[in-house]
Amino acid sequence: MINDILKKVEQYSTIIILRHRNPDPDAIGSQTGLAAILHEVFPQKNIYVTGIDLPVLNWIGQMQNIPDSTFKDALVITVDTANARRIDNNGAYKQAAEIIKIDHHPNVDPFGDMNWVDDTFSSCAEMIFSFTEKFLILNSLKRLLPNYIQELSVILSVS
């Protein structure tokens, strides 16, 4: 599933990460943590975190205000949101080209085009950590393998 999510992320220049209404630290941490990882690996992409800002949780991360038109042709990733009616958005997310749902609650509403839902995780933040571990390994291999293949071909051509 992580490979599939990564392929989708690579396809889009705009990625918007949403979470549930009345967020808790897991929702905001998962949302802003995923954004930070994606920014690090894909600095050329437009990556946004949106929703109502709760000043008491700003120490985790602050939300961005974007026009509704930004959702058109974007990839939306929802985190820690069991059902569509709890998404902290005015409905503009429905304009997105695709929606990926990442959640650790029972999958009673599989609203995404792609759903990574696993209720064996204790939190969505744990899922994002797992994603990050695998994502960084895959990304490193993608960068390293061409060099190793090139080196190997040089060694073989010399011998």
Side-chain angles (χ1 to χ4, degrees):
M1 180 58 68
I2 290 172
N3 285 335
D4 295 334
I5 294 171
L6 182 55
K7 286 177 189 171
K8 290 296 179 186
V9 167
E10 289 172 342
Q11 288 176 12
Y12 289 89
S13 60
T14 300
I15 300 155
I16 304 167
I17 306 170
L18 304 174
R19 39 90 176 143
H20 64 76
R21 298 174 192 269
N22 301 316
D24 51 23
D26 184 33
I28 293 178
S30 298
Q31 181 184 28
T32 58
L34 179 58
I37 294 303
L38 295 179
H39 271 298
E40 189 66 31
V41 178
F42 301 107
Q44 75 284 5
K45 293 188 182 288
N46 300 307
I47 301 169
Y48 303 102
V49 293
T50 68
I52 302 221
D53 232 348
L54 291 180
V56 72
L57 295 176
N58 280 350
W59 60 273
I60 301 172
Q62 292 186 314
M63 299 297 105
Q64 299 164 294
N65 290 316
I66 59 173
D68 288 352
S69 59
T70 310
F71 286 87
K72 186 173 175 16
D73 301 321
L75 172 65
V76 165
I77 302 175
T78 65
V79 296
D80 198 34
T81 307
N83 51 52
R85 67 179 171 74
R86 291 206 62 219
I87 296 173
D88 190 0
N89 182 265
N90 64 3
Y93 76 91
K94 294 175 185 175
Q95 298 176 54
E98 290 189 78
I99 299 171
I100 296 174
K101 174 184 176 182
I102 301 175
D103 192 35
H104 70 107
H105 298 99
N107 198 16
V108 295
D109 180 8
F111 58 81
D113 298 298
M114 181 183 298
N115 295 276
W116 178 30
V117 178
D118 189 338
D119 60 8
T120 65
F121 283 92
S122 64
S123 64
C124 197
E126 184 184 8
M127 292 180 78
I128 299 303
F129 181 80
S130 176
F131 172 84
T132 302
E133 284 182 315
K134 292 174 182 152
F135 176 68
L136 293 177
I137 290 168
L138 289 171
N139 197 50
S140 295
L141 287 174
K142 278 177 143 180
R143 284 196 313 252
L144 293 175
L145 280 178
N147 293 335
Y148 288 131
I149 290 168
Q150 184 178 13
E151 288 175 25
L152 184 60
S153 66
V154 169
I155 291 167
L156 291 175
S157 67
V158 172
S159 51

